[in-house]
Amino acid sequence: MKICKLGEEVLRQKCEPVKPEEINDEFRALLNEMFDTMVSANGVGLAAPQVGIAKRFFVIMADDDVKRVFINPEIIKTSDDLVDYEEGCLSIPGVYENIQRPSTITVSAINEKGKRFVIEDAKDLLARVIQHENDHLNGVLYIDRGDKEFAEKTAEQFKRRAERAAKKEAAKAAKKEAAKAAKKRSIEAKIAARAEKKETKC
């Protein structure tokens, strides 16, 4: 699956809840595809908007290697004590920053079978990843919780990167179109030459 990068509109959208009837075999297949994408990209979490879907769900596999699905999650309690941790994001590759978040949380969500569950006092990397992915569902990126200047600099960097990629893609498309046009002219020239030769023989 294509992972959306900083600057793409979907990453800033507030996502819509998943309806009960949407949790079916097709949806579960999508979740498996997200897990595969996350693992292939060496990530520990992946939220729906990161793959272009503005819905409230994410998948994670933290340090305990347990696959967890969170649909319509709600963080219902956070600890007063905060901890710093260097975060990264598959949507902002190559960029890391120390971000302060509550050390423990309690979260309620629905799993891939449509059943409500609660994780009480999640801590360490599990708590961190849940908070990070839950932010995605509200259009919030981890850089928004850090240094403002760093966030602006990062956004500008990815904007320039996207512009370069767009120019490269446009040039590639133009080259392909030119080659196609040249091939068409060559074929037309051959047809015209054959027609002329035929007329000469007659």
Side-chain angles (χ1 to χ4, degrees):
M1 300 178 82
K2 174 186 175 291
I3 297 177
C4 299
K5 300 298 189 296
L6 176 62
E8 295 188 56
E9 188 178 342
V10 68
L11 294 176
R12 291 303 189 180
Q13 291 181 16
K14 187 172 177 64
C15 298
E16 294 292 324
V18 176
K19 297 175 183 176
E21 61 270 23
E22 293 178 307
I23 305 174
N24 51 29
D25 287 343
E26 186 179 351
F27 184 80
R28 284 183 279 273
L30 171 64
L31 294 172
N32 287 331
E33 196 172 353
M34 286 177 66
F35 272 117
D36 291 342
T37 300
M38 180 191 75
V39 172
S40 296
N42 296 316
V44 292
L46 189 65
Q50 290 183 275
V51 289
I53 304 169
K55 289 281 189 174
R56 300 189 73 79
F57 66 93
F58 59 81
V59 300
I60 70 170
M61 191 161 65
D63 47 0
D64 57 4
D65 288 334
V66 176
K67 288 184 175 181
R68 291 187 173 91
V69 173
F70 294 76
I71 301 168
N72 299 340
E74 296 177 52
I75 295 177
I76 54 182
K77 188 175 75 173
T78 60
S79 63
D80 292 330
D81 57 308
L82 305 174
V83 289
D84 284 333
Y85 189 87
E86 187 178 66
E87 292 190 26
C89 181
L90 296 178
S91 292
I92 317 176
V95 178
Y96 303 92
E97 186 181 13
N98 278 323
I99 301 297
Q100 196 173 70
R101 295 186 189 270
S103 61
T104 62
I105 64 167
T106 295
V107 60
S108 171
I110 296 169
N111 65 19
E112 67 278 13
K113 296 177 181 178
K115 303 295 184 183
R116 173 72 57 179
F117 68 94
V118 175
I119 298 178
E120 295 186 355
D121 299 325
K123 59 182 181 180
D124 301 328
L125 184 61
L126 179 59
R128 174 72 53 168
V129 178
I130 291 171
Q131 292 176 82
H132 177 112
E133 300 307 329
N134 193 67
D135 272 353
H136 274 300
L137 308 185
N138 297 311
V140 176
L141 302 175
Y142 80 93
I143 56 173
D144 301 333
R145 297 189 177 278
D147 180 72
K148 185 178 178 181
E149 187 177 334
F150 179 81
E152 291 174 351
K153 182 180 177 182
T154 302
E156 183 59 32
Q157 174 189 338
F158 274 77
K159 182 182 177 182
R160 290 197 301 270
R161 187 182 296 184
E163 288 171 349
R164 287 196 299 270
K167 284 182 181 178
K168 188 175 180 181
E169 194 61 33
K172 186 178 177 182
K175 187 176 180 181
K176 187 176 180 181
E177 196 60 36
K180 189 177 177 182
K183 186 176 181 181
K184 184 181 178 182
R185 287 194 299 271
S186 175
I187 292 171
E188 289 173 345
K190 286 179 181 178
I191 292 172
R194 285 175 185 171
E196 186 178 348
K197 189 174 181 182
K198 190 176 181 182
E199 286 177 5
T200 303
K201 284 183 178 180
C202 290

